[in-house]
Amino acid sequence: RNHIDHATPAKLQQAISSNAFTAPIPCYQSLTDYLAGGGYQFYEQMKASTLDPIEVEDKVFSAGLRGMGGAGFPSGKKWSFVRAESGPRYMAVNGDEGEPGTFKDRYYLETQPHLFMEGMLIAAQAVEAEHIYLYLRDEYPAALTILKREIAELESANIVPIGYIELRRGAGAYICGEESAMIESIEGKRGLPRHRPPFVAQKGIFNQPTLVHNIETLYWVARICREGGEILTSVSKNGRTGLRSYSVSGRVINPGVYLLPAGSTITDLIEAAGGMIQGHRLKAYQPGGPSSGILPASLADVPLDFDTLQPHGSLIGSAAVLVLSDKDSIRDAALNMMEFFDHENCGQCTPCRVGCEKAVKLMREDKWDTSLLSELSSVMEDASICGLGQAAPNPIRLTIKHFPDEV
Ligand code: SF4
């Protein structure tokens, strides 16, 4: 963050031109290697109109693909909503992966950027998007370098017209991962979430119909188109179908990104991550980022998928799984989550702006005023404009419910 804290425009420009921000670039699949494996053939067929966009949409829809950024909206359906509106249409790719504990998009960007970019071009072609805005979290310098380089490669190989994909850098605001705030930021404004309706599929960038997808969703679009929907529909576990990329961190031996069946439980994830660190016993877990709150070890058999966590007052979100042990204070973890929301809310609406600040104060007390915190949580859930304020009370509610002795 140093460059954000201290840079003047002149210093910033100097740093950019001297490549002061470059990070070590991981080994990733090049355009040459991707093309050698049949890459971009599907997209080229769509461009040449030998593939009907409706058929492609059906293929993605029947594979059961849902948005992997957190909201879980069926991907194929989004395409038909955007196409139903008259053009010009745009596409915005949400690469502003800022939820604490989430790093799966970064993994795909730094390993297989072309798979993701072919998915992006297929989706853009399906809705006849005139321009693609690729919004990237600025704390991912390696991904930024890779994308700059590989977009230039795509342009010089005549796979995309020059300037068709526009790379935009975020500036460290978590709220810009909310799709309408991201659109405001792309338009050059402060990232404030919009009221809906109208939805961004109807009035998005510059009030034009806009298709918004997350990085991992587009990775799956390309895989479904190239390999068939069976890569998802043939996998089932605990009554759930498909695969999910889980970012696993906390008290496990090997934190990392794990691709597992969508019906996997926290027990499966801990096993995949090499087990608990020696001397630690599972006490609780965050199933999908701070917005999902904290669940107790007694709920270790719940499949971590869309919809399965709702009965427990939680959600899968971006599948950022944090494993907590008997050596952790759940109360402190919940406070840490609320401090994050207090710091990152955009301040636009009172229930969230004042609610987060008030909640942090109450949660720093030796003994929580649980009835006041519960009342405050209800107000925030009911009256906040966007998902940040609506979900921010989850850590409070679930900690009061499952860990009353700690508060
Ligand atoms: Fe901003 Fe919070 Fe209101 Fe969302 S809920 S608009 S983040 S103040």
Side-chain angles (χ1 to χ4, degrees):
R1 291 280 181 98
N2 284 344
H3 66 281
I4 293 172
D5 294 340
H6 307 297
T8 61
K11 268 191 194 168
L12 199 57
Q13 196 48 51
Q14 190 188 9
I16 291 168
S17 37
S18 68
N19 274 339
F21 304 152
T22 49
I25 305 302
C27 190
Y28 65 91
Q29 188 181 36
S30 67
L31 177 59
T32 311
D33 289 346
Y34 189 67
L35 289 171
Y40 291 109
Q41 281 177 9
F42 196 95
Y43 170 60
E44 293 291 358
Q45 283 174 301
M46 282 187 83
K47 255 197 329 186
S49 304
T50 50
L51 277 172
D52 180 0
I54 309 279
E55 275 175 40
V56 180
E57 180 187 309
D58 286 346
K59 196 177 168 97
V60 171
F61 186 71
S62 359
L65 184 65
R66 292 171 66 171
M68 298 292 184
F73 194 80
S75 301
K77 230 184 218 179
K78 250 189 198 179
W79 297 8
S80 59
F81 287 161
V82 175
R83 223 182 19 242
E85 304 291 324
S86 47
R89 305 182 193 96
Y90 297 124
M91 179 171 189
V93 179
N94 192 343
D96 196 45
E97 184 176 54
E99 184 119 41
T102 318
F103 39 84
K104 63 187 176 61
D105 291 348
R106 172 183 172 180
Y107 171 77
Y108 289 119
L109 286 170
E110 292 185 355
T111 53
Q112 294 168 290
H114 286 288
L115 201 46
F116 143 68
M117 284 201 282
E118 183 168 11
M120 172 177 82
L121 292 169
I122 290 169
Q125 191 70 26
V127 300
E128 296 172 359
E130 292 193 3
H131 195 76
I132 299 174
Y133 294 88
L134 173 42
Y135 193 91
L136 185 72
R137 172 182 164 87
D138 205 39
E139 291 85 343
Y140 284 175
L144 180 70
T145 305
I146 291 170
L147 287 174
K148 271 186 189 167
R149 190 188 284 170
E150 297 309 311
I151 290 169
E153 291 277 342
L154 285 178
E155 290 173 347
S156 49
N158 279 327
I159 295 171
V160 295
I162 292 173
Y164 180 56
I165 306 169
E166 188 173 331
L167 193 52
R168 290 294 188 92
R169 293 166 61 177
Y174 168 69
I175 195 59
C176 288
E178 197 277 346
E179 63 176 10
S180 64
M182 176 184 70
I183 284 173
E184 290 282 302
S185 176
I186 287 171
E187 290 181 358
K189 295 183 271 183
R190 183 175 155 195
L192 302 180
R194 294 177 181 174
H195 284 277
R196 269 141 301 176
F199 296 97
V200 300
Q202 302 159 312
K203 286 185 186 295
I205 298 173
F206 302 121
N207 279 333
Q208 292 305 124
T210 302
L211 177 68
V212 179
H213 275 312
N214 147 271
I215 303 273
E216 190 199 349
T217 312
L218 295 167
Y219 162 88
W220 286 111
V221 166
R223 287 200 59 185
I224 291 164
C225 292
R226 294 189 54 184
E227 300 167 50
E230 304 74 39
I231 51 162
L232 294 183
T233 55
S234 62
V235 184
S236 69
K237 181 164 184 167
N238 293 331
R240 311 297 303 176
T241 304
L243 288 162
R244 289 199 69 93
S245 307
Y246 297 97
S247 310
V248 183
S249 63
R251 307 293 196 175
V252 289
I253 293 175
N254 299 313
V257 178
Y258 291 91
L259 185 61
L260 292 176
S264 299
T265 62
I266 189 67
T267 311
D268 299 320
L269 263 62
I270 292 171
E271 192 185 325
M276 299 289 293
I277 294 173
Q278 200 179 9
H280 290 260
R281 192 170 40 81
L282 176 68
K283 177 179 177 185
Y285 64 104
Q286 163 199 282
S291 319
S292 67
I294 304 169
L295 294 175
S298 56
L299 291 175
D301 58 350
V302 179
L304 303 180
D305 194 15
F306 298 117
D307 317 321
T308 52
L309 290 153
Q310 271 162 13
H312 304 286
S314 185
L315 47 105
I316 189 62
S318 57
V321 179
L322 173 67
V323 177
L324 297 165
S325 80
D326 53 344
K327 307 235 180 320
D328 294 312
S329 156
I330 304 309
R331 169 206 165 93
D332 286 354
L335 172 60
N336 184 282
M337 292 172 182
M338 191 49 72
E339 285 170 339
F340 170 76
F341 291 128
D342 185 32
H343 187 258
E344 291 294 339
N345 77 78
C346 77
Q348 182 180 191
C349 65
T350 309
C352 172
R353 183 188 65 246
V354 178
C356 286
E357 189 185 355
K358 177 82 178 162
V360 164
K361 276 192 189 134
L362 290 169
M363 291 167 84
R364 283 184 183 148
E365 296 291 325
D366 289 341
K367 190 166 162 37
W368 286 11
D369 184 337
T370 53
S371 71
L372 188 54
L373 276 165
S374 301
E375 197 183 335
L376 181 62
S377 298
S378 301
V379 173
M380 291 173 71
E381 279 162 10
D382 292 346
S384 295
I385 289 177
C386 82
L388 188 152
Q390 291 157 9
N394 282 344
I396 302 175
R397 284 192 306 97
L398 290 170
T399 303
I400 291 174
K401 180 175 179 190
H402 296 293
F403 304 94
D405 296 348
E406 291 201 24
V407 302

